[in-house]
């Protein structure tokens, strides 16, 4: 069982920055990948960024160049640095992790970007 706890969401003006954190219970070395999804009201959940156990990253097109995903294995934590935020980035951001085909989700953290 993996528990994920997100933090770092909040209210920010357009053009601002936020850094989200996702702390995992246990070692993240055993996780195949971790990442972030987001879900806005009335919309489907969508991928934001992924980082594999080998450190490879992948981003949704709209986030390339603005968001950076990273991991700190010593702290069992994955981060999402979000810069140049736009109102359309407003959503609940959910951390996820995958281990041997099983997916785990955090409860999410709200990000609101005002225009």
């Amino acid at each position: 069982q993996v528990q994920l706890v997100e933090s770092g969401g909040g209210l920010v003006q357009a053009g601002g920055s936020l850094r989200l954190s996702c702390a995992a219970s246990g070692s993240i070395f055993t996780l195949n990948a971790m990442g972030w999804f987001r879900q806005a009201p009335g919309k489907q959940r969508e991928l934001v960024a992924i980082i594999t156990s080998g450190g490879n990253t992948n981003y949704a097109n709209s986030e390339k160049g603005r968001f950076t995903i990273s991991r700190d294995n010593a702290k069992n934590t994955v981060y999402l640095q979000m810069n140049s935020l736009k109102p359309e980035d407003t959503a609940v951001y959910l951390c996820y992790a995958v281990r041997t085909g099983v997916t785990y989700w955090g409860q999410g953290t709200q990000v609101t970007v005002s225009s």
Side-chain angles (χ1 to χ4, degrees), residues 73-95:
N73 293 332
K75 295 182 178 180
N76 297 326
T77 300
V78 170
Y79 303 97
L80 184 68
Q81 177 67 43
M82 305 187 294
N83 299 326
S84 302
L85 283 162
K86 305 174 183 179
E88 50 264 44
D89 294 319
T90 295
V92 174
Y93 283 69
L94 301 111
C95 179

Side-chain angles (χ1 to χ4, degrees), residues 2 4 22 24 28-36 47 49-57 69 71 78 95-104:
V2 177
L4 304 172
C22 174
I28 62 176
F29 275 121
T30 65
L31 300 173
N32 302 115
M34 294 184 72
W36 295 88
L47 173 69
I50 300 173
I51 186 165
T52 68
S53 57
N56 295 319
T57 59
I69 189 170
R71 58 193 291 160
V78 170
C95 179
Y96 87 104
V98 178
R99 183 171 66 193
T100 57
V102 179
T103 301
Y104 303 90

